[in-house]
């Protein structure tokens, strides 16, 4: 089981990256760099590539709408080049509030676009002259939609790898099935190992039944806050605000994927109340309704024995990469936490 970490640079990006070298020595395998409507992730990942030696670097995630498929492929090939083959392309649909609100692009056909983007990326990395006729993307652009001067081109450079791993962030049923079919990795959110078989199992099985054997086994990437020690019980509460934000406020009523996931986990009543309160501006009241069980089961916070059992539960449910957020107060304590969870996951 690999140990990953999402880059959190609230204390300063360069300062955080300077610490990554120590995390790398402590056994960290992969770092994920987010891109929502903050600074772009690509410039940051390039900086990380220059400051690390072994650590894998993943976008977590690049939205499929804000770049053309070929630019996503070029970016991934460029990142793989500057990192000497250490890059993973994390993709996702994001949501309509960001895509239409910040990028001004219609949030349409996320499943169809995801499939076509991935197919085009792999053509680019194989250095084919790229021609593609899909429902959402056509390359070259047809004459009646442009100047008529477009022609099939292939990537000038020779990529370090002709197959760069692709991870898709997905929680919707059809998107999870698609991911299991065509991607190297799957990154869900709010992962509860005890409910994984019921909520995700049939979808993953349906996708894997159509999976090309050359893709290998699906890398399942679960996120979890990490603290090992009896004094860490209160740290569970830190997860309330984020859970309430996603379940209650990350999307409109009837168009909130995270709220739907909470319902599929069996928290229909709580999910409805959290959303009502959050959208009405009562954020603290919404946070108070986040189920304690949800916070506990998707975290790695507790005694060493508890965390060992949680890691085992993650492994038994199919998790192959643990994407942890170490909650130590100091850099040295966070290193200790990484070393310990690495040992428990071995």
């Amino acid at each position: 089981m690999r140990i990953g970490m999402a880059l959190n640079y609230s204390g300063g990006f360069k300062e955080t990256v300077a610490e990554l070298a120590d995390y790398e020595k402590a056994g960290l395998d992969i770092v994920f760099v987010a891109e929502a409507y903050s600074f772009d992730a690509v410039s940051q990942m390039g900086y990380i590539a220059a400051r690390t030696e072994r650590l894998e670097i993943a976008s977590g995630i690049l939205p499929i709408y804000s770049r053309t498929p070929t630019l996503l492929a070029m970016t991934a090939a460029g990142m793989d080049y500057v990192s000497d083959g250490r890059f993973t392309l994390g993709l996702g649909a994001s949501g309509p509030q960001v895509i239409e609100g910040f990028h001004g692009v219609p949030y349409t056909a996320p499943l169809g676009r995801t499939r076509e983007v991935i197919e085009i990326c792999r053509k680019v990395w194989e250095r084919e002259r790229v021609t593609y006729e899909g429902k959402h993307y056509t390359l070259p652009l047809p004459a009646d939609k442009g100047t008529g001067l477009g022609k099939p081109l292939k990537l000038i450079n020779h990529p370090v790898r002709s197959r760069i791993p692709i991870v898709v962030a997905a929680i919707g049923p059809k998107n999870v099935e698609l991911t299991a079919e065509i991607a190297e990795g799957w990154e869900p959110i709010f992962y509860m190992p005890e409910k994984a078989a019921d909520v995700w199992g049939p979808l993953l099985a349906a996708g894997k039944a159509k999976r090309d054997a050359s893709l290998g086994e699906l890398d399942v990437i679960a996120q979890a806050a990490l603290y090992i020690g009896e004094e860490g019980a209160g740290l569970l509460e830190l997860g309330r605000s984020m859970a309430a934000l996603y379940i209650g406020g990350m999307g409109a009523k009837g168009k909130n994927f995270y709220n739907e996931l909470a319902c599929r986990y069996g928290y229909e009543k709580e999910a409805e109340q959290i959303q009502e309160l959050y959208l009405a501006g009562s954020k603290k009241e919404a946070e108070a309704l986040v189920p304690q069980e949800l916070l506990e089961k998707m975290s790695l916070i507790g005694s060493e024995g508890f965390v060992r059992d949680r890691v085992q539960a993650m492994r038994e449910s199919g998790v192959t990469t643990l994407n942890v957020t170490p909650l130590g107060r100091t850099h040295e304590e966070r290193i200790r936490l990484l070393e310990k969870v690495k040992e428990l996951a071995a």
Side-chain angles (χ1 to χ4, degrees):
M1 184 183 287
R2 296 189 304 172
I3 300 300
M5 184 177 76
L7 191 72
N8 183 339
Y9 53 91
S10 56
F13 174 72
K14 291 184 179 179
E15 291 79 1
T16 300
V17 174
E19 295 178 347
L20 273 179
D22 293 333
Y23 294 140
E24 188 176 37
K25 292 174 185 174
L28 186 67
D29 296 299
I30 184 168
V31 63
F32 293 81
V33 182
E35 181 178 279
Y37 42 98
S38 54
F39 292 143
D40 79 288
V42 180
S43 57
Q44 297 170 62
M45 292 188 293
Y47 186 86
I48 292 170
R51 299 295 298 271
T52 55
E53 297 176 0
R54 178 192 58 82
L55 192 65
E56 293 183 49
I57 304 163
S59 53
I61 50 97
L62 297 182
I64 60 171
Y65 293 93
S66 53
R67 296 171 175 85
T68 66
T70 43
L71 179 56
L72 283 166
M74 292 163 63
T75 299
M79 274 302 311
D80 211 42
Y81 173 69
V82 299
S83 66
D84 295 320
R86 291 185 284 137
F87 181 64
T88 292
L89 177 60
L91 296 172
S94 186
Q97 289 182 317
V98 173
I99 298 307
E100 296 187 355
F102 196 63
H103 295 291
V105 177
Y107 189 84
T108 57
L111 269 71
R113 290 183 185 277
T114 298
R115 181 184 290 276
E116 292 188 15
V117 164
I118 290 174
E119 289 175 353
I120 293 169
C121 281
R122 288 175 176 156
K123 279 177 170 281
V124 172
W125 299 332
E126 290 283 354
R127 295 193 74 240
E128 298 180 17
R129 291 195 178 275
V130 181
T131 61
Y132 191 85
E133 292 188 16
K135 184 175 180 180
H136 309 288
Y137 302 101
T138 303
L139 301 171
L141 193 67
D144 62 346
K145 293 186 178 181
T147 64
L149 299 176
K151 65 178 183 178
L153 298 172
K154 67 179 180 180
L155 190 68
I156 294 173
N157 314 77
H158 288 262
V160 174
R161 292 180 291 176
S162 61
R163 177 61 69 88
I164 295 169
I166 294 175
V167 167
V168 177
I171 56 174
K174 291 182 179 178
N175 207 3
V176 171
E177 182 177 335
L178 176 70
T179 299
E181 177 190 349
I182 66 173
E184 278 86 358
W186 168 52
E187 186 176 7
I189 193 171
F190 300 151
Y191 187 89
M192 291 182 66
E194 286 79 7
K195 302 201 176 187
D198 292 335
V199 173
W200 309 115
L203 307 171
L204 294 171
K208 289 177 180 178
K210 298 174 282 186
R211 185 177 180 83
D212 189 321
S214 67
L215 290 171
E217 292 297 317
L218 183 70
D219 183 18
V220 178
I221 303 162
Q223 304 170 33
L226 170 68
Y227 189 86
I228 303 172
E230 299 290 350
E231 67 278 18
L235 294 174
L236 270 177
E237 295 301 306
L238 296 177
R240 283 192 180 276
S241 58
M242 188 188 82
L245 166 64
Y246 277 75
I247 296 170
M250 198 67 77
K253 257 188 170 272
K255 200 68 176 177
N256 182 323
F257 312 124
Y258 313 100
N259 189 279
E260 293 169 11
L261 175 60
C263 291
R264 300 204 321 263
Y265 275 163
Y267 305 121
E268 295 93 341
K269 182 180 178 181
E270 295 90 339
E272 181 181 0
Q273 293 175 331
I274 290 167
Q275 188 176 58
E276 290 281 356
L277 288 166
Y278 205 96
L279 294 179
S282 302
K283 295 181 181 179
K284 289 299 179 184
E285 291 83 352
E287 291 173 13
L289 293 179
V290 174
Q292 186 73 14
E293 181 188 46
L294 177 64
L295 296 175
E296 290 176 356
K297 293 294 177 66
M298 67 181 189
S299 79
L300 296 172
I301 296 176
S303 66
E304 181 175 330
F306 175 83
V307 173
R308 180 184 290 109
D309 290 344
R310 297 310 302 153
V311 169
Q312 183 62 20
M314 292 280 191
R315 178 186 288 111
E316 290 176 354
S317 73
V319 172
T320 48
T321 298
L322 267 178
N323 199 13
V324 300
T325 303
L327 299 177
R329 292 176 292 273
T330 65
H331 177 54
E332 290 71 25
E333 190 175 8
R334 291 189 288 273
I335 290 173
R336 179 186 67 80
L337 288 169
L338 278 171
E339 289 174 336
K340 192 62 182 179
V341 78
K342 182 77 174 181
E343 175 188 321
L344 295 176

